[in-house]
Amino acid sequence: MAKKSEALFAPALSLFLITLISGLLLGAVYVVTKEPIELREQQEKEEAYQAVCASAVSFAETDEITTLSGEQEQIFEEAGLTKVEITECMAALDADGTVIGYVMTSVSHAGYGGDIEIALGINTEGSVTGLEFLSIEETAGLGMNAQKAEFKNQYLNRLVEVFTVVKGESGSDEEIVAVSSATITSRAVTSAVNAGLAFVRALQEVSE
């Protein structure tokens, strides 16, 4: 009986040790790679911010941004928006330190494949100066086509309060033509843009 127990114990111990060592190695790899990954993601975001507001010399947080960041739920509810979030917003400054617009990370939680995260630039007049994707996991050949300039550029330099998604052709500045066979993705991106517009309007109201 003792020999049988020993026979069962040895493989179990080996399996435990293998699992323990594997876990320790994975943990070590995570610790080593975590900081470089975070630094790369931060650099990519900063580059995206510069791309969506090319005329900015620097970016900075303001008291108004900090205050309104905690009031997003009310801002978006009043704007009729759901499943959206601004995870970061900064004022875009020129060489004199004058605010010329805002850059932000806007997220829609309503993408077909999950969250869609964009870097968005909006000037003080309230029009979009640029849009870059930070994270998107939509269907290849369909929703992923939202990254193409043909779709992204529709939002640029249009002075509107709210964009809507249409199929076929656009009849006004407010209408964004959906990516073919990817209406859910198109609406999610548009919601993220509308969230940015609503947030900037709120910022301008408290700054007046």
Side-chain angles (χ1 to χ4, degrees):
M1 190 71 172
K3 290 183 178 180
K4 183 176 181 180
S5 298
E6 291 176 2
L8 292 173
F9 176 75
L13 178 60
S14 298
L15 180 60
F16 170 75
L17 291 174
I18 291 171
T19 303
L20 177 62
I21 293 170
S22 297
L24 291 173
L25 289 173
L26 286 173
V29 170
Y30 173 76
V31 170
V32 171
T33 59
K34 181 175 182 290
E35 185 174 352
I37 290 173
E38 290 178 347
L39 288 173
R40 187 180 72 250
E41 290 176 345
Q42 180 64 27
Q43 182 180 1
E44 289 174 350
K45 183 170 65 175
E46 291 174 357
E47 290 173 353
Y49 281 172
Q50 192 63 63
V52 299
C53 191
S55 57
V57 173
S58 61
F59 305 103
E61 294 184 2
T62 67
D63 292 339
E64 292 83 3
I65 290 173
T66 302
T67 299
L68 289 183
S69 291
E71 301 177 7
Q72 290 188 48
E73 185 175 348
Q74 180 180 347
I75 293 170
F76 298 147
E77 182 179 346
E78 291 176 354
L81 298 169
T82 60
K83 298 182 179 180
V84 290
E85 179 184 8
I86 303 296
T87 58
E88 182 179 63
C89 180
M90 304 182 79
L93 312 175
D94 64 11
D96 297 324
T98 301
V99 176
I100 59 174
Y102 300 90
V103 294
M104 68 201 71
T105 299
S106 184
V107 183
S108 170
H109 301 297
Y112 185 81
D115 290 353
I116 296 177
E117 186 179 42
I118 63 173
L120 188 66
I122 299 175
N123 63 25
T124 52
E125 294 180 351
S127 63
V128 176
T129 57
L131 185 162
E132 295 292 335
F133 285 87
L134 297 175
S135 177
I136 180 171
E137 298 292 340
E138 302 297 273
T139 306
L142 296 174
M144 292 300 283
N145 288 336
Q147 298 176 99
K148 293 184 177 181
E150 180 182 357
F151 176 74
K152 292 192 305 180
N153 290 349
Q154 293 183 88
Y155 299 96
L156 305 186
N157 305 314
R158 296 186 180 186
L159 193 57
V160 302
E161 288 194 359
V162 179
F163 286 106
T164 59
V165 175
V166 298
K167 297 180 180 180
E169 296 182 1
S170 171
S172 67
D173 283 350
E174 291 85 359
E175 294 181 343
I176 300 296
V177 178
V179 175
S180 179
S181 302
T183 304
I184 293 176
T185 303
S186 304
R187 287 174 176 164
V189 176
T190 300
S191 291
V193 173
N194 285 336
L197 292 173
F199 193 74
V200 168
R201 285 198 301 273
L203 281 172
Q204 292 174 329
E205 288 174 4
V206 299
S207 298
E208 292 177 351

